[in-house]
Amino acid sequence: MGGNDQDGYYCTICGGIPPDKINIKQILVDGKGTGIDKLDWIIAEVRKLNLSDDTVITEELLTRTKALNYVPTKKTKEYGEALLLEYKKPGG
């Protein structure tokens, strides 16, 4: 593995992301397991905002998720519901 914390890490053979550096967590979106990259970070960032309104929390979760992951337009509502459920889990 090559690279560092500043520039990122990469496989010295293929140039891809090393498996131990991938941070994808799966949640159920519309009943299907769906990988969300950096989900723990997304939730932590939204928690820092100390929001109480579910609609605003969902919007913030979706904004951060869309910045790092593909969210199909037709499934935005379902992604929002799944993200909010994950956000509300104890320790989630």
Side-chain angles (χ1 to χ4, degrees), residues 50-62:
N50 293 315
L51 303 169
S52 58
D53 182 275
D54 283 357
T55 302
V56 177
I57 292 168
T58 301
E59 289 172 8
E60 292 295 333
L61 290 166
L62 280 168

Side-chain angles (χ1 to χ4, degrees), residues 8-21:
Y9 292 95
Y10 58 91
C11 174
T12 54
I13 297 169
C14 71
I17 299 172
D20 62 329
K21 295 294 181 185

Side-chain angles (χ1 to χ4, degrees), residues 3 23 40 44 48-50 52 54 63-65 84:
N23 190 10
D40 292 336
K48 289 178 188 177
L49 301 174
N50 293 315
S52 58
D54 283 357
T63 296
R64 286 160 180 75
T65 300
L84 185 61

